[in-house]
Amino acid sequence: MATGMALPAAATERPLTAAETDPVTLGWMQGFPPPPERVIGQPDSDYFSFPKLRWTVCHFRELLPTRRVSRGLEAPRPLPYALDKGIDSVTFSPLGGGEPMSWEASLAANYTDGILVLHEGKVVYERYAGCLDEAGVHGAMSVTKSLTGLLAEILVAEGALDETARVASILPELADSAFSNASVQQVMEMTAGLAFSEDYADPDAEIWSYNAAASPLPKSEGYEGPRSYYEYLATVQPAGIHGEVFGYRTVNSDALGWIISRTTGRSVADLLSERLWQPMGAEQDAYYTVDSIGTPFAGGGLSAGLRDLARLGQLVLDGGQLNGERLFPQAAVQRIRQGGSRDAFARAGYATLPGGSYRGMWWVLHNDHGALAARGVHGQTIYIDPTARMVIVRFASHPVAGNAANDPTSLPAYQALAEYLMARE
Amino acid sequence: MATGMALPAAATERPLTAAETDPVTLGWMQGFPPPPERVIGQPDSDYFSFPKLRWTVCHFRELLPTRRVSRGLEAPRPLPYALDKGIDSVTFSPLGGGEPMSWEASLAANYTDGILVLHEGKVVYERYAGCLDEAGVHGAMSVTKSLTGLLAEILVAEGALDETARVASILPELADSAFSNASVQQVMEMTAGLAFSEDYADPDAEIWSYNAAASPLPKSEGYEGPRSYYEYLATVQPAGIHGEVFGYRTVNSDALGWIISRTTGRSVADLLSERLWQPMGAEQDAYYTVDSIGTPFAGGGLSAGLRDLARLGQLVLDGGQLNGERLFPQAAVQRIRQGGSRDAFARAGYATLPGGSYRGMWWVLHNDHGALAARGVHGQTIYIDPTARMVIVRFASHPVAGNAANDPTSLPAYQALAEYLMARE
């Protein structure tokens, strides 16, 4: 048992590796009780610091109230398998130079906890590491936004939601906020002009007051701020002009979640279950973290099984069809694949996604293969390559909160794998 | 929509009825956001007061951190159905006199949220009400104890746990507590001599300090007491002589959960999944509430689906066999059915269970049919009648915290139904 071992000393030259921070090896929460220095508990506000976060990403529900996304009661739909042992040896050149790297080596480099590749609808690759196994769930972080966006695009395609409507016409509670005269589409493309910083390095950034409002735990004595996602959204102030610049701000996703719920009478958790999780034959329930009034965190609160995210990715690739049955209008995916304003996106300066755009809360690469992706802050992704008929889903717990840290050893790996799979045919 | 309606005025002559307190009709947590007077949230410590508890029993995970009991990834094992419409008309005489009552009328009288009857392994009756439906889960409360006890009896029957061992020989941490020289069997039969009152009407009762220790939420400023189930158990003081009197104290179940985990290296949540939930083909994950270090509440924290509790009850009735496969030694159930000390039980004075006993954390009625039961504080039960080959599982949210309030209109109903089903044959 490794429960009593000391943490590896922090290296000054490099971050601790995936192997050095393996949550099983480090012994977090092992033993009855775990040794005090290996407890990750709720009063410990430090549970999302690295390397603890490598345990926490699989255990949010043990720390926070959550709301279920039911898979229903039916048997799961099996995923067909056609594993390809050659994939580990696929090599690629990392962005920005560096030695060629194998697919297999990229997994540890990116602190991968689970990765599954579908080609032509069949599982060709599947690996688990860290805190995750096939029967577990993992925090999807901002991949959640893309599911919120997909639900909204489905409602738009079905005519239930008018993307040209002003937000305040749907949510009068936001009439005095920056969202008021933004269109639903601007919220969905994150071009609403909002004074909201997600710079975690800035103690005055709005993300901190947002987190405080969102916490379902009792507020600290004397707390006078907003007490839910909805209350917070009503306080967001304007900055800039709607529609001009892409600004990646989580509040857009939570405003969209609210728009969805007001429109459908369903929480996003229930709507995700009814529209996608149950019909696609998910094998595990998923869940959302919630605020003090039970609102699911539509901007980042989802935890799900890897295979179920793969089922979702395949459904998007197939334009809403599953085994010949149509689950939602093809237009919902077509709209996302067209992309959003590339000009607005270019002004935001994402170095690893040149020429890209953002639409329906998906990242559209506008590359030769027409790839699109859902992306989470520690390296989570649903990466869909329509040309290669490939879906990659990955859970990860990278020490750096930002995809610029893992894109150099993941985006070119995905492209190389797509080319490998296409060349097999 | 009823979200804005006033609560019915409290009747002075009678408690509010099931219909008057239906959580859907009352509109708890409906709307985006729900109206403030209809919010049941975590900072609201009142969430388990009646009638709010009629919503809360289906939603513990939305208020508290929880740990999953995985059903695994396979297809659920279907329950065979042979519904009998005659059951609603079965009549019985409530204990203590009163007019004859129909089975159907007893459901509302007992604030039943879900009830399912198996006869000869087939579902003959199934109803849902209040907050529950077939795809939901409900708090099992002290029914949880019987699952903890069953796991322990399985370990005893398999030779992994010595019931004659003193607790401190397994858990040295309890050497200075009242548990120290109690035997495992005395813990399992709740005859350990413990100074622990569960009288919720007494503000000095130990149950309050136990609840404070068990809460996963941040402690109040200046709190100096124990911070987990395990820390609390080490503080329990002796009272009386081990083995003499049955004393229904939840701390026994949590001590037993700790014994199980120390013995097997598994949390009770994982062991329940591995030994029972997965092999029996559960159709839903269950979950436990947890304390600040992630320990599942073995004394009352389980929420589960009604049909899954029925699968478990049938497995107990069948002595551990399922479709010809043996999941655990028959001796585990035989030991429970033999019962515990009837003398020790008689000294505790349970008026509605004369001649009964308690063994392996199950209530043994020692009636003509050899019935045994798991029982939760608001009317939850797994009631097993081996003579009638009948299993009844019930979730309920009775306003009175104690089975003496619902036994008069449930125990004779169960007996009448057993006789009805036997007479059909």
Side-chain angles (χ1 to χ4, degrees):
Chain A
M1 290 295 293
T3 52
M5 66 181 286
L7 279 175
T12 52
E13 298 294 325
R14 56 166 182 79
L16 295 169
T17 66
E20 287 166 345
T21 57
D22 185 285
V24 179
T25 309
L26 291 184
W28 302 118
M29 296 298 277
Q30 293 175 17
F32 305 95
E37 72 279 10
R38 285 298 179 273
V39 168
I40 300 177
Q42 179 46 263
D44 173 4
S45 61
D46 200 29
Y47 60 74
F48 215 58
S49 68
F50 189 84
K52 285 182 182 174
L53 79 83
R54 300 208 66 208
W55 179 88
T56 299
V57 287
C58 295
H59 298 275
F60 283 108
R61 72 175 292 169
E62 293 159 46
L63 299 164
L64 292 165
T66 54
R67 181 167 175 135
R68 177 169 72 155
V69 177
S70 173
R71 64 166 206 92
L73 303 177
E74 301 297 315
R77 279 184 202 253
L79 286 173
Y81 276 73
L83 296 173
D84 182 335
K85 297 189 185 216
I87 289 174
D88 275 328
S89 308
V90 170
T91 59
F92 63 95
S93 296
L95 296 181
E99 292 298 305
M101 182 180 275
S102 72
W103 172 269
E104 184 175 30
S106 77
L107 303 186
N110 288 323
Y111 300 79
T112 301
D113 296 325
I115 189 161
L116 187 154
V117 182
L118 289 162
H119 183 229
E120 300 285 4
K122 293 181 179 145
V123 180
V124 294
Y125 192 86
E126 185 177 18
R127 287 283 187 287
Y128 298 93
C131 61
L132 193 65
D133 64 26
E134 63 187 23
V137 300
H138 192 290
M141 308 301 289
S142 289
V143 168
T144 310
K145 293 177 172 69
S146 302
L147 274 63
T148 306
L150 177 59
L151 290 173
E153 290 286 7
I154 291 171
L155 296 174
V156 170
E158 292 176 342
L161 176 62
D162 176 5
E163 67 178 333
T164 69
R166 300 291 135 179
V167 170
S169 72
I170 300 170
L171 298 173
E173 296 95 327
L174 295 185
D176 295 331
S177 78
F179 290 105
S180 177
N181 62 341
S183 68
V184 171
Q185 184 177 356
Q186 286 162 344
V187 170
M188 291 171 71
E189 297 186 8
M190 292 212 193
T191 59
L194 310 175
F196 187 85
S197 165
E198 298 200 19
D199 179 1
Y200 282 86
D202 174 5
D204 292 330
E206 285 83 0
I207 189 70
W208 297 111
S209 49
Y210 194 48
N211 285 352
S215 170
L217 303 179
K219 305 296 186 220
S220 56
E221 187 114 22
Y223 179 84
E224 301 273 343
R227 293 175 172 271
S228 67
Y229 290 110
Y230 297 162
E231 284 188 15
Y232 186 90
L233 292 171
T235 71
V236 174
Q237 295 300 305
I241 297 167
H242 295 320
E244 290 207 338
V245 184
F246 170 66
Y248 185 74
R249 298 183 177 100
T250 297
V251 281
N252 286 293
S253 306
D254 289 298
L256 187 60
W258 195 1
I259 289 167
I260 288 170
S261 291
R262 183 62 56 82
T263 301
T264 63
R266 292 277 186 280
S267 80
V268 292
D270 289 351
L271 196 67
L272 182 59
S273 169
E274 292 165 18
R275 294 306 307 262
L276 296 168
W277 231 247
Q278 294 188 55
M280 79 185 190
E283 66 188 35
Q284 294 192 69
D285 289 345
Y287 64 78
Y288 287 90
T289 56
V290 295
D291 69 8
S292 68
I293 61 168
T295 311
F297 180 21
L302 188 79
S303 287
L306 185 68
R307 291 175 181 167
D308 288 329
L309 275 200
R311 287 177 168 89
L312 187 117
Q314 186 67 40
L315 186 59
V316 170
L317 174 60
D318 291 337
Q321 274 203 318
L322 176 59
N323 291 353
E325 188 189 351
R326 176 152 296 287
L327 303 190
F328 55 79
Q330 189 162 23
V333 171
Q334 280 169 337
R335 292 165 48 87
I336 293 169
R337 284 176 60 176
Q338 282 164 9
S341 164
R342 297 173 72 174
D343 286 345
F345 191 86
R347 291 189 195 104
Y350 282 80
T352 59
L353 297 168
S357 74
Y358 194 79
R359 178 78 181 261
M361 304 210 166
W362 289 72
W363 304 83
V364 184
L365 277 66
H366 296 287
N367 65 5
D368 289 350
H369 285 197
L372 61 156
R375 290 156 61 85
V377 69
H378 289 278
Q380 301 94 330
T381 201
I382 306 172
Y383 183 94
I384 299 170
D385 183 328
T387 302
R389 299 278 308 155
M390 175 185 80
V391 174
I392 299 173
V393 286
R394 183 170 72 141
F395 284 131
S397 46
H398 197 286
V400 178
N403 282 304
N406 68 75
D407 278 343
T409 48
S410 59
L411 292 179
Y414 301 164
Q415 181 67 23
L417 182 54
E419 288 161 11
Y420 166 83
L421 292 172
M422 289 172 74
R424 289 195 317 176
E425 289 162 12
Chain B
M1 289 295 292
T3 53
M5 67 182 282
L7 279 173
T12 52
E13 298 293 325
R14 56 165 181 81
L16 294 169
T17 65
E20 286 165 344
T21 58
D22 185 286
V24 178
T25 309
L26 290 185
W28 302 118
M29 296 299 277
Q30 292 176 17
F32 305 96
E37 72 279 11
R38 285 297 179 272
V39 168
I40 300 178
Q42 180 44 264
D44 173 4
S45 62
D46 199 29
Y47 60 73
F48 214 57
S49 68
F50 190 85
K52 286 182 181 174
L53 77 84
R54 300 207 67 205
W55 180 87
T56 299
V57 287
C58 294
H59 298 274
F60 283 109
R61 73 175 291 167
E62 292 159 47
L63 299 165
L64 292 165
T66 54
R67 181 167 176 134
R68 177 171 71 155
V69 178
S70 174
R71 65 166 204 93
L73 303 178
E74 302 298 316
R77 280 184 200 251
L79 286 173
Y81 277 72
L83 296 173
D84 182 336
K85 296 186 186 215
I87 289 174
D88 275 327
S89 308
V90 169
T91 59
F92 63 94
S93 296
L95 296 180
E99 292 299 304
M101 181 180 276
S102 71
W103 172 270
E104 185 174 29
S106 78
L107 303 186
N110 289 323
Y111 300 79
T112 301
D113 296 325
I115 190 160
L116 187 155
V117 182
L118 289 162
H119 182 230
E120 299 284 3
K122 293 182 180 141
V123 180
V124 294
Y125 192 87
E126 185 178 19
R127 288 284 188 287
Y128 297 94
C131 60
L132 192 66
D133 63 26
E134 64 186 23
V137 299
H138 192 290
M141 309 300 289
S142 289
V143 168
T144 310
K145 294 177 170 71
S146 302
L147 275 63
T148 306
L150 176 61
L151 290 172
E153 290 286 6
I154 291 171
L155 296 174
V156 170
E158 292 176 342
L161 175 61
D162 176 5
E163 67 179 331
T164 69
R166 301 289 134 179
V167 170
S169 72
I170 299 169
L171 298 172
E173 296 94 328
L174 295 186
D176 295 331
S177 78
F179 291 105
S180 178
N181 61 342
S183 69
V184 171
Q185 184 177 355
Q186 286 162 342
V187 170
M188 291 171 70
E189 298 186 8
M190 291 214 194
T191 59
L194 310 176
F196 188 87
S197 165
E198 297 200 21
D199 178 1
Y200 282 86
D202 175 4
D204 292 330
E206 286 83 359
I207 189 69
W208 298 111
S209 51
Y210 193 49
N211 285 353
S215 170
L217 303 179
K219 304 296 187 220
S220 55
E221 187 114 21
Y223 179 84
E224 301 272 344
R227 293 176 171 273
S228 66
Y229 290 110
Y230 297 162
E231 285 188 15
Y232 185 90
L233 293 171
T235 71
V236 174
Q237 295 301 304
I241 297 166
H242 295 320
E244 291 206 339
V245 183
F246 170 67
Y248 185 73
R249 296 182 178 101
T250 297
V251 281
N252 285 294
S253 305
D254 288 298
L256 187 60
W258 196 1
I259 289 167
I260 288 170
S261 291
R262 184 61 57 80
T263 300
T264 62
R266 292 277 187 283
S267 79
V268 291
D270 289 351
L271 197 67
L272 182 59
S273 169
E274 292 165 17
R275 295 304 309 261
L276 296 169
W277 231 247
Q278 293 189 57
M280 78 185 191
E283 65 186 34
Q284 293 193 70
D285 290 345
Y287 64 77
Y288 286 92
T289 56
V290 296
D291 69 8
S292 68
I293 61 168
T295 311
F297 180 21
L302 188 78
S303 287
L306 185 68
R307 291 175 180 167
D308 289 330
L309 275 200
R311 287 177 168 89
L312 187 117
Q314 186 68 39
L315 187 60
V316 170
L317 174 61
D318 291 338
Q321 273 203 318
L322 175 60
N323 291 354
E325 187 189 351
R326 176 152 296 288
L327 303 189
F328 57 76
Q330 189 162 22
V333 171
Q334 281 170 336
R335 292 164 47 85
I336 293 168
R337 284 177 59 177
Q338 282 164 10
S341 164
R342 297 173 73 174
D343 286 346
F345 191 87
R347 290 188 196 105
Y350 281 80
T352 58
L353 297 169
S357 75
Y358 194 79
R359 179 76 180 263
M361 304 209 167
W362 288 73
W363 303 82
V364 184
L365 276 66
H366 297 287
N367 64 5
D368 290 349
H369 286 197
L372 62 156
R375 290 155 61 85
V377 68
H378 288 280
Q380 301 93 331
T381 200
I382 307 172
Y383 182 93
I384 299 171
D385 182 328
T387 302
R389 300 278 307 153
M390 174 185 81
V391 174
I392 299 172
V393 287
R394 183 171 71 143
F395 284 131
S397 46
H398 197 285
V400 178
N403 281 304
N406 68 76
D407 278 344
T409 48
S410 58
L411 292 179
Y414 301 163
Q415 181 66 22
L417 182 54
E419 287 161 12
Y420 167 83
L421 292 172
M422 289 171 73
R424 290 195 316 176
E425 287 161 11

